[in-house]
């Protein structure tokens, strides 16, 4: 695996590979790599000639008071994980390389899809995500970009951004990797002490309970399902629930349940703000 710090260096290498007819798969990450990231690398490895991953803790997607400074940075371990999973080129730009003038003068702004749920709790977050993914896709020019369903709203926002900006890349959503108790793997799980780690399993338990209300009890009122998931979270004293909702493909709350839906949940668990989701078909 080769590591690249500059846009020019990575572009030079990839241009040659593309000229030779190689397909390029890309996995953008913020590092602190875990088995969830590894699954994306492996998916790209299985389907593309060349696998590129990036590690960049993007300041534009963090709000004031969020964990930008404390976000785990574990580059040495990360490069071993990436190399083991078959990454060919690891792009690790500095902030200065990505945003040489500090804040860029041109930005990608996400309207409706980025305003609700995570966007409501983290104003500007999806503008920052869309900006960095657009920029990284312009640098790497991949055929396919692999992203986790774990960040469901992010996946929807990025798909729409690619469509709106006519970026020539296919966004591939990949299933969520979980610990044995159902907790979705996340770099932020490292913030949890043993008690909060135990409590965090309630997020997945609440999603399962919501799905069960639909499948086993025939509940058809979306707000009742949301309330049920919130009540499961509320039973865990170490958790502060933020939202628990059923949404359709456009992230709207449907009046009635039908088709492909997503149960989405967010909660503060001690020092970590965690999100999760699962799909249900009605
Ligand atoms: P991050 O480093 O948190 O920005 O995540 C980089 C990519 O990995 C994003 O597309 C995430 O959705 C994805 N990802 C994070 N956690 C998981 C997980 N548990 N399973 C699958 N993909 C994940």
């Amino acid at each position: 695996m080769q590591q690249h710090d500059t846009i020019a260096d990575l572009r030079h290498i990839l241009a040659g590979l593309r000229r030779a007819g190689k397909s390029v798969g890309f996995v953008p990450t913020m590092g602190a790599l875990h088995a969830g990231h590894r699954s994306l690398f492996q998916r790209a490895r299985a389907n593309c000639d060349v696998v590129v991953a990036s590690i960049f803790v993007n300041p534009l997607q963090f709000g004031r008071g969020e964990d930008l400074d404390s976000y785990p940075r574990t580059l040495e371990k990360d490069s071993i994980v990436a190399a083991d999973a078959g990454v060919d080129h690891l792009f690790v730009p500095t902030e200065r390389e990505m945003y040489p003038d500090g804040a860029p003068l041109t930005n990608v702004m996400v309207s409706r899809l980025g305003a609700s749920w995570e966007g409501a709790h983290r104003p500007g977050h999806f503008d920052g995500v869309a900006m960095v993914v657009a920029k990284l896709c312009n640098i790497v020019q991949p055929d396919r970009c692999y992203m986790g369903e774990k960040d469901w709203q992010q996946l929807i926002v990025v798909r729409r951004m690619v469509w709106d900006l006519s970026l020539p890349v296919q966004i591939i959503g990949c299933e969520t990797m979980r610990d044995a108790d159902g907790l979705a793997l996340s770099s932020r799980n490292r913030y949890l002490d043993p008690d909060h780690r135990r409590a965090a399993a309630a997020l997945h338990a609440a999603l399962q309970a919501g799905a069960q209300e639909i499948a086993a009890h025939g509940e058809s009122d979306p707000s009742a399902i949301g309330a049920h998931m919130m009540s499961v979270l509320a039973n865990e004293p170490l958790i502060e629930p933020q939202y628990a909702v059923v949404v359709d493909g456009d992230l709207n709350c449907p009046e009635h349940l039908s088709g492909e839906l997503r149960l989405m949940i967010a909660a503060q668990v001690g020092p970590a703000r965690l999100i999760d989701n699962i799909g249900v078909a009605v």
Side-chain angles (χ1 to χ4, degrees), residues 191-192 196-197 199-200 203 238-240 267-274:
Y191 300 152
L192 300 170
H196 286 104
R197 171 63 192 80
L203 271 85
L238 292 179
I239 287 186
E240 291 167 48
Q268 190 73 37
V269 187
R273 189 172 175 286
L274 302 180

Side-chain angles (χ1 to χ4, degrees), residues 27-31 34 36-37 39-40 61 71 146-151 154 174-178 184-187:
V27 183
T29 83
M30 298 205 300
H34 50 67
H37 298 110
S39 71
L40 305 188
Q61 71 190 69
Y71 199 85
Y146 295 82
M147 302 190 71
E149 290 184 350
K150 148 83 169 43
D151 300 286
Q154 170 173 283
C174 302
E175 81 174 283
T176 302
M177 296 293 120
R178 301 179 177 282
L185 299 181
S186 164
S187 305

